[in-house]
Amino acid sequence: KVWPWWSELLSHPSRDQFWQDLSVLDHPEQVKVPALHIGGWFDIFANNTAKAFTELRARAGTAEAREGQRLIIGPWDHLNSTGVYPDRQFGMLADAITQDLTGEHVRFYDRYLRGQDGGGRDVPPSAPVKIFVMGIDQWRDEQDWPLPGTSCEPWYLDGSGRANTLAGDGRLSPEAPTGNATDTYLYDPLRPVPTLGGRIMLPTTANAAGAVDQQAAEARDDVLCFTSDVLEI
């Protein structure tokens, strides 16, 4: 029998008490040790990786645990930590090897598990957060997550009811629409829209994770596309 625990997991399809008892996020005050959180923007677990850092930094059970949280997020998925994808390469510095990810582990373990300086390796990093900024393809050290000064704003779906395909009239705008329209599409289970890249659990050769050109999917009439103007930084 392979993975005898697998059937137990499948027997709890909803987030019932079984999952709540296992969840760190449901009991952050019980965590009394520092933690090193490492993830990728294209990892299916990216949201919870960042949330675990945030919750434990605020609510862990000891001051050492709260102060010892560290977050690293690169342009990676669940399996690939090179930053190289078929339709987008994020540069030589995107690779986990160039960022000495193994060294990050060793320094963290030396400090919090061994209590050793390891030739100075136990010195805390200058910033608790290290993120890769896609677009400019650079690493940044930050003091917190979400980034200080971050603000959220609503964006709206707009158009005249013909948002089918990338050539349609669907618009994404920070301004509320002034008219009413209804967009529709026909779903055919015999002709499903393929997943192209993004955050997926186990990417394959035929279905790579990460940054993948979406035009093949956006050309279908059973896909609604809402596109914004070019964002200005």
Side-chain angles (χ1 to χ4, degrees):
K1 187 176 181 180
V2 179
W3 296 349
W5 45 264
W6 186 250
S7 59
E8 183 178 16
L9 300 185
L10 295 181
S11 68
H12 297 273
S14 63
R15 199 175 188 280
D16 58 13
Q17 194 65 43
F18 173 84
W19 294 110
Q20 293 172 31
D21 289 344
L22 292 175
S23 172
V24 171
L25 294 179
D26 285 337
H27 312 282
E29 68 283 350
Q30 295 183 15
V31 177
K32 299 180 180 180
V33 294
L36 176 60
H37 309 262
I38 299 177
W41 295 124
F42 300 114
D43 192 333
I44 193 173
F45 301 113
N47 288 342
N48 274 354
T49 299
K51 188 175 181 180
F53 166 83
T54 300
E55 288 293 303
L56 292 177
R57 195 168 193 225
R59 300 166 54 200
T62 66
E64 182 188 36
R66 293 190 293 274
E67 295 168 3
Q69 302 300 314
R70 174 123 163 93
L71 175 66
I72 302 174
I73 303 183
W76 313 317
D77 59 65
H78 197 62
L79 298 179
N80 176 7
S81 58
T82 67
V84 176
Y85 295 97
D87 295 329
R88 181 70 159 86
Q89 292 81 47
F90 291 99
M92 295 182 63
L93 295 180
D95 195 308
I97 294 178
T98 67
Q99 297 306 306
D100 189 24
L101 208 56
T102 298
E104 293 279 4
H105 283 89
V106 171
R107 286 186 288 273
F108 188 86
Y109 295 154
D110 279 350
R111 177 174 176 78
Y112 293 112
L113 295 182
R114 296 172 177 163
Q116 300 175 357
D117 62 17
R121 287 199 301 252
D122 72 328
V123 177
S126 59
V129 176
K130 180 178 182 179
I131 58 173
F132 187 88
V133 182
M134 296 184 289
I136 61 174
D137 295 352
Q138 295 178 6
W139 288 94
R140 281 171 48 180
D141 287 335
E142 296 290 344
Q143 294 302 315
D144 204 357
W145 186 268
L147 299 181
T150 296
S151 61
C152 298
E153 62 180 30
W155 281 61
Y156 303 90
L157 305 181
D158 197 3
S160 60
R162 297 186 299 275
N164 306 78
T165 79
L166 188 61
D169 66 2
R171 298 190 302 277
L172 183 64
S173 171
E175 299 178 0
T178 57
N180 294 321
T182 300
D183 291 283
T184 63
Y185 65 91
L186 179 63
Y187 167 67
D188 182 355
L190 297 179
R191 182 175 168 262
V193 178
T195 296
L196 302 175
R199 294 178 181 176
I200 55 180
M201 179 67 176
L202 298 174
T204 65
T205 302
N207 187 17
V212 176
D213 192 337
Q214 300 296 304
Q215 291 189 74
E218 293 170 341
R220 297 169 56 113
D221 60 6
D222 56 353
V223 171
L224 303 180
C225 297
F226 298 88
T227 307
S228 73
D229 293 332
V230 176
L231 298 178
E232 297 182 2
I233 300 177

